[in-house]
Amino acid sequence: TKFDSIERETALILQNIIAETINRLNNLAKAESTNQINAAKMQANIELERERTNLIRKKAHNAKLESQSTGESAGSKMLRAAQTFIGGLNQSVPDLDQRVDLYQLQESLKSRNIDTGNLASGSAQLFLAPKDLNLKLNMGSGPEL
């Protein structure tokens, strides 16, 4: 079908209406394309964040497993050391409680030696109260402090 306008002015108005309609359709198509692109970007970002979350969870799980393995290894070493120490005293100290007490004393002294070495190697200051030293002062005729 073909439509020819009789008046030139009417033809111009119709051309303007057609051009405006085409522009609107083009703008709608462009907006729809932009919305689809933005939706695809958003979906990609959501998937990326999911993957990052999974990675963080896996790293945390691996760190936990590594720490657990390290702890078990250290615990096994400590157990073997305790068994060797306590078992080695079987003949010289027959009482198990005394052997355990000796082991605890040895570990306490090791710990104190490490603390002392750390204090000596740095610029830390150590403050002790008389009760920490098991210090008794005798002040003449008064009670012992």
Side-chain angles (χ1 to χ4, degrees):
T1 61
K2 186 175 177 186
F3 176 77
D4 286 331
S5 174
I6 297 175
E7 294 180 22
R8 182 171 167 84
E9 195 175 302
T10 305
L12 285 175
I13 292 172
L14 288 174
Q15 284 179 351
N16 285 339
I17 291 172
I18 292 170
E20 201 173 305
T21 303
I22 290 173
N23 284 339
R24 282 186 190 156
L25 291 173
N26 286 340
N27 287 339
L28 284 173
K30 188 191 294 185
E32 188 174 328
S33 268
T34 302
N35 287 342
Q36 288 174 351
I37 290 170
N38 288 339
K41 283 181 182 178
M42 187 179 296
Q43 189 62 35
N45 286 337
I46 289 170
E47 187 60 31
L48 178 65
E49 289 303 317
R50 274 194 196 116
E51 292 300 319
R52 284 182 181 161
T53 301
N54 287 337
L55 177 65
I56 290 169
R57 285 185 182 141
K58 287 179 182 180
K59 282 184 176 182
H61 180 70
N62 288 343
K64 180 182 174 184
L65 289 176
E66 185 178 345
S67 296
Q68 184 177 0
S69 175
T70 302
E72 287 174 358
S73 174
S76 293
K77 285 180 185 177
M78 290 175 67
L79 176 64
R80 284 191 302 276
Q83 286 174 336
T84 302
F85 184 89
I86 293 171
L89 295 174
N90 266 344
Q91 292 178 358
S92 57
V93 182
D95 184 28
L96 179 62
D97 289 337
Q98 287 180 339
R99 289 183 291 187
V100 170
D101 289 343
L102 284 173
Y103 178 74
Q104 287 176 339
L105 176 63
Q106 180 197 22
E107 291 301 308
S108 174
L109 292 174
K110 277 184 191 177
S111 177
R112 284 186 184 178
N113 284 339
I114 291 171
D115 290 345
T116 303
N118 289 338
L119 283 171
S121 67
S123 61
Q125 294 181 352
L126 179 64
F127 297 98
L128 299 172
K131 68 178 182 171
D132 295 328
L133 298 173
N134 199 14
L135 182 65
K136 294 184 180 181
L137 300 174
N138 188 355
M139 313 257 304
S141 62
E144 235 181 54
L145 299 176

